[in-house]
Amino acid sequence: MIRINENFNKLKASYLFVDIARRVEKFKEENPSAKIIKMGIGDVTRALPEACIKAMHAAVDELASEESFKGYGPEQGYAFLREAIATNDFKSRGCNISADEIFVSDGAKCDTGNIQEIFAQDITVAVPDPVYPVYVDTNVMAGRTGLNVDGRYENLVYLEANEANGFIPEIPATTNIDLIYLCFPNNPTGATATKEQLTKWVEFAKANKALILFDAAYVAFIRDNEIPHSIYEIEGADEVAIEFRSFSKTAGFTGTRCAYTVVPKKCIAYTKSGEAQSVHPLWNRRHSTKFNGVSYPIQKAAEAVYSPEGKAQVKELIDFYLENAKIIRESMSSLGYKCTGGDNSPYIWVQTNSDSWEFFDTLLNKAAVVTTPGAGFGNCGQGYIRISAFNSRENVIEAMERIKKALNK
Ligand SMILES: *Cc1c(COP(=O)(O)O)cnc(C)c1O
């Protein structure tokens, strides 16, 4: 008898986007002429940088003749891209990360979801609340949690991000944590962590023989040079942290697909008997067994992000979204709503002073603007909405004018 992995039955269906779609449909039926503006989108809206397009075209042409044709590439990624990443994203900020510690992949979603496979079944996992759901659901599927009770899975430790701690989870009182997921700049709150705050997490990991999984998918939005761009800017982090990055939000690769994971050779985990073991060979084995590499034209396009033209174009791209974010943040603040994010992040986390869904409905019904209710990201998201800066300038300005009219009666 073929049997299922019953851990999947524990997964709480995410009604968030289904529920949003249902409410938007109902609004459309009742207001057929309304022009809806979607400010809830977690996807980029602008075209790929010119440098990436050129590199991709040239790479496709290489595949057109037998002399320069490429079949399977290295599973870990081509050296040209891994070298460019190590030099530009790490060495340039004083982080001693080398090309062979970088694993190129087709997405940070897959990487943050797959990484847990190399760790033991009976470890204790800590996740932020509110959270990017991938971290939680992949551990549920793997059987590391109990059932979902009142919005939280049993056996998971929830690291609360709220107004009181400035949306940076505090170091937990319990030392019984083995794997810690952190994400900065954060999705959904837009919060960024200082060097001091990250240092505390690295020290906690060291003291407790734990490991940090650091998701830096939004690093390109950091404009304040004092904010760490990488966990490896913290001394000793290469022994206790794995970092995830993506070209998705950096250079508009959400549909193109390219990302990477950094596993330093010094990074350590332990056997049951307490013997230290490097994590790098484990991930190398996992990655090369189950993955056959990102396509050559896409890796060439990603490499172009680091060319002088690519850098300038990516900066222009991100500056555009950051200007949107500033407009949103200033508008919502001027209406008296407390906001986080939106300066070194494309997301603005707005305190609604009411139920998330109630506020969502008000913006939909009175302004025809769609946002994302914070409650959909975890219990600590109740009382917030997330507004995204991924949109056209026109839409952002019009959405903010409509919201002003709707709320500032
Ligand atoms: C968008 C996003 C990613 C990137 O995912 P890709 O699979 O690389 O497109 C990773 N982490 C977070 C928190 C994100 O919001």
Side-chain angles (χ1 to χ4, degrees):
M1 178 175 68
I2 176 64
R3 291 176 50 224
I4 60 158
N5 175 353
E6 290 185 41
N7 292 314
F8 279 65
N9 291 345
K10 294 179 196 162
L11 287 167
K12 201 170 171 274
S14 172
Y15 294 117
L16 179 63
F17 291 100
V18 178
D19 215 354
I20 292 173
R22 194 177 53 75
R23 290 177 196 225
V24 171
E25 265 324 296
K26 182 166 175 279
F27 175 78
K28 267 188 194 160
E29 273 166 31
E30 290 163 4
N31 306 271
S33 62
K35 183 182 161 272
I36 293 171
I37 302 179
K38 293 187 174 166
M39 300 292 290
I41 312 171
D43 192 358
V44 298
T45 54
R46 288 189 63 196
L48 287 170
E50 182 64 30
C52 299
I53 291 296
K54 271 193 191 158
M56 210 188 300
H57 278 174
V60 171
D61 286 341
E62 280 186 67
L63 301 183
S65 81
E66 257 153 56
E67 292 73 55
S68 49
F69 173 76
K70 307 262 186 307
Y72 289 126
E75 290 100 338
Q76 300 84 349
Y78 282 101
F80 63 77
L81 179 55
R82 299 170 88 196
E83 294 285 353
I85 290 168
T87 303
N88 291 281
D89 287 345
F90 297 98
K91 294 200 172 109
S92 71
R93 293 202 53 94
C95 307
N96 191 21
I97 295 296
S98 60
D100 61 357
E101 295 174 313
I102 289 161
F103 295 86
V104 175
S105 79
D106 62 355
K109 185 182 198 175
C110 323
D111 289 345
T112 54
N114 290 330
I115 194 79
Q116 47 78 28
E117 285 184 26
I118 64 171
F119 302 110
Q121 190 70 25
D122 54 353
I123 54 169
T124 303
V125 178
V127 294
D129 180 2
V131 69
Y132 179 58
V134 177
Y135 317 151
V136 174
D137 290 359
T138 52
N139 277 290
V140 175
M141 291 171 184
R144 289 198 186 86
T145 73
L147 297 174
N148 191 300
V149 181
D150 298 329
R152 287 189 166 183
Y153 289 97
E154 295 166 329
N155 305 344
L156 276 188
V157 176
Y158 286 86
L159 305 170
E160 300 196 345
N162 50 39
E163 193 186 7
N165 58 32
F167 303 94
I168 309 295
E170 279 144 286
I171 303 298
T174 170
T175 55
N176 180 28
I177 292 176
D178 306 304
L179 192 63
I180 303 152
Y181 290 81
L182 295 177
C183 174
F184 294 111
N186 190 266
N187 178 11
T189 70
T192 53
T194 63
K195 193 158 189 182
E196 291 67 38
Q197 288 163 333
L198 289 184
T199 300
K200 283 187 188 157
W201 278 105
V202 169
E203 283 169 357
F204 176 85
K206 282 198 160 171
N208 298 291
K209 295 186 173 175
L211 194 131
I212 296 169
L213 299 174
F214 191 76
D215 185 345
Y218 295 94
V219 63
F221 291 82
I222 299 176
R223 284 291 180 268
D224 178 346
N225 206 39
E226 292 299 305
I227 297 172
H229 289 47
S230 166
I231 188 91
Y232 305 119
E233 289 177 38
I234 312 302
E235 200 172 324
D238 54 353
E239 293 164 37
V240 293
I242 290 172
E243 182 163 308
F244 304 92
R245 297 236 190 149
S246 174
F247 294 95
S248 284
K249 316 302 169 17
T250 301
F253 275 51
T254 52
T256 311
R257 312 305 303 144
C258 197
Y260 65 86
T261 292
V262 187
V263 187
K265 290 190 173 155
K266 281 189 186 168
C267 190
I268 292 294
Y270 300 84
T271 62
K272 199 168 187 181
S273 60
E275 198 186 320
Q277 201 175 313
S278 173
V279 171
H280 185 278
L282 266 69
W283 183 247
N284 189 42
R285 189 62 192 260
R286 156 65 183 75
H287 187 79
S288 52
T289 299
K290 295 197 182 181
F291 187 65
N292 241 344
V294 173
S295 83
Y296 177 71
I298 300 306
Q299 291 194 58
K300 288 304 277 184
E303 182 195 23
V305 163
Y306 301 106
S307 66
E309 315 82 72
K311 282 180 185 172
Q313 290 159 11
V314 163
K315 182 169 184 301
E316 194 275 327
L317 191 65
I318 303 290
D319 280 347
F320 174 84
Y321 293 128
L322 282 172
E323 181 61 25
N324 283 352
K326 186 169 174 249
I327 293 168
I328 296 165
R329 188 190 167 108
E330 285 176 358
S331 305
M332 296 309 292
S333 299
S334 75
L335 292 173
Y337 295 95
K338 285 186 190 165
C339 299
T340 321
D343 39 11
N344 294 287
S345 149
Y347 298 124
I348 298 88
W349 190 239
V350 183
Q351 199 170 329
T352 60
N353 309 319
S354 67
D355 177 81
S356 285
W357 281 105
E358 205 175 287
F359 197 76
F360 169 91
D361 283 335
T362 303
L363 295 186
L364 176 61
N365 294 318
K366 291 194 177 164
V369 171
V370 182
T371 55
T372 314
F377 296 101
N379 289 1
C380 289
Q382 181 52 268
Y384 294 86
I385 54 157
R386 188 190 75 177
I387 306 184
S388 158
F390 294 126
N391 220 316
S392 68
R393 182 65 42 79
E394 260 181 304
N395 276 352
V396 168
I397 291 171
E398 184 170 344
M400 290 305 119
E401 280 171 359
R402 288 195 205 162
I403 290 176
K404 246 178 208 168
K405 269 197 206 129
L407 298 178
N408 213 10
K409 324 138 211 134

